[in-house]
Amino acid sequence: MSTTIYGTGVSRGIAIGKVHRLAGTEIEIFEAAIPAHLIEDEISRFRQAVYTARQQLKAIRNSIPEDTSVDITAFIDTHLLMLEDSMLTVAPAELIRQRQCNAEWALKSQRDALARVFEKMDDPYLRTRKDDIDHVVSRIQRILRGEETHTALEDSEQLRDAIVIAHDLTPAETALLHHQGIAGFVTESGGPLSHTAILARSLGLPAILGTHVTPDWIRDGDTVILDGAQGILLTDIDNAVLKRYRRRQKANQKRRTELNRLKDKPAVTVDGVRICLLSNVELHEDVLAARRAGAEGIGLYRTEFLFMNREDIPDEKEQLRQYHSIIKTLKGLPVTIRTLDLGADKSCGSEPEADHIVPNPALGLRAIRLCLKHPDLFRPQLRAILRASAKGPVRMMIPMLSSAHELNEVLSLIEDVKHELRREGTAFDPDMPIGGMIEVPAAALSAGLFARKLDFLSIGTNDLVQYTLAIDRVDDAVTYLYDPLHPAVLRLIKMVIDAGTQYRTPVSMCGEMAGDPRHTRLLLGMGLRDFSVHPTSLLEVKDVIQHSRIEQTTPVANEILDTDDPLIISGLLARLNESSE
Ligand code: PEP
Ligand code: MG
């Protein structure tokens, strides 16, 4: 009889493999008294462990291919720097001497003291730094205990095809684990809209988040099944269950092969309506995946990933280099570069305001609000995007707009930067389209205002759902309330699409809802014609489009918009999705 662990399935797919638990902070440490004449030996033992940890990380750093994105290597560099820092190297040695205790206990005491300081600060960036300290400390502890340190950042062999179980994973760790060949992962914390979840989907890694606990009796090497669609992890599996899942895995594989045949086919409905299918990307390698999936361009490039896991802010030159390299990879396809969406859960630590404690970060100075307040952060990016537009089809997109005043301020800043470039004789495309994301209910309710002044709009349902339903997208305690089919959300989406039609401003959708094939027909029926989705969802969405008829989806979508009964909505949606073409 198998046992089931439940969480939130955030990235579909079935993975069958051996468990690999990632070292958390849960290693039990005891204090032991060290006789005075052995203190120096104990200190040497500690120093040797730090040295070994450093060597291990350097080995990992060197084993990463050169084309790996800088954010991942920077993440390892941060850990290496910590291993040079006196707070982790000198202070524990002092403690061994003063307390005459074992190295493990001294290191634990120092870690706890540092954690207390970080906890008091209650700042997202520093919390991330605290996690980094825990990762580094845990590596040294395991070396001290003589354990094999097979953590996420090493030992590719143990990680290949493994199902990783961790308390939490950062987006950078997730990308690295993917690179090391894991089959899927489970974390105790996190929700479906966290950036780790979004990355898992874009990497095509089956994943479950927010299991709260993963019992101790699940051990390294146990064979388990991860069902990302159902959000379950099966342990103690018998042969019958294993066979059933292997069959499903094969069927999924077959389906993927079938879908691949759609790659070069246009996204056209049965009644001849042409739909534009673009891709969302975070890392440079996603751009290649988007091209492989046959995307017609990039509808959302989240530039904040370029700013994460590093100590400094990339300057105009570095940003320009990155944009050029994406333009080159796209070979003439358009890219929509979203200006920085930092703040709230996406702090990079070095941005202005990063050390301010704010009561509600998601409602605070994030995205365009932060950028407008700090032109020194924003202007170099505006310059880099404009300059990149001289090299290929680039669109600029502004996140989280909420008022006319804000919109006017951004547009006049962009004009100002254009004048500056003209004065300098620097090339850019004067007609580069400028669009805005509609992700705040206020913006959706006054979409006409944005549609009149901008060249395109893109609906960010991840935030639109968060702000409309008042649920923090990273808090797994309220994940159960996340519902893109809530009548309020659907009506807001419809208002944006209608405003676009009225002012002849193209409207696309780049939130997660656009990539969920269960919502494709509904969105088509509501009038959406441009979708931007993860490369991994693109062909499935295209398949649904090719089997849909607009004249059938429109009346059902209208019926859905007319009701506020969730049962009627789900019944109508099921009917809409069942009808075959
Ligand atoms: C959104 O909010 O829907 C969106 C696409 O932006 P992000 O997920 O990066 O906040
Ligand atoms: Mg958003």
Side-chain angles (χ1 to χ4, degrees), residues 300 302 338 341 346 437 439 460-463 473 510-511:
L300 165 65
R302 290 182 163 99
R338 180 174 73 179
D341 184 8
K346 284 189 291 188
M437 288 192 68
E439 18 188 17
T461 49
N462 308 341
D463 278 314
R473 60 191 274 193
C510 61

Side-chain angles (χ1 to χ4, degrees), residues 147-192:
E147 276 182 28
E148 254 186 81
T149 45
H150 38 82
T151 72
L153 299 175
E154 57 188 83
D155 213 338
S156 287
E157 270 326 296
Q158 298 229 25
L159 284 164
R160 187 153 305 285
D161 300 325
I163 293 182
V164 164
I165 298 182
H167 173 64
D168 197 7
L169 288 176
T170 63
E173 288 170 313
T174 309
L176 188 61
L177 286 166
H178 169 69
H179 167 70
Q180 290 176 304
I182 66 165
F185 70 90
V186 179
T187 66
E188 292 169 349
S189 60

Side-chain angles (χ1 to χ4, degrees), residues 86-106:
S86 60
M87 72 180 177
L88 284 181
T89 54
V90 179
E94 281 306 308
L95 271 174
I96 297 172
R97 196 169 279 122
Q98 280 163 20
R99 290 178 65 129
Q100 304 211 322
C101 66
N102 51 332
E104 289 88 339
W105 187 256

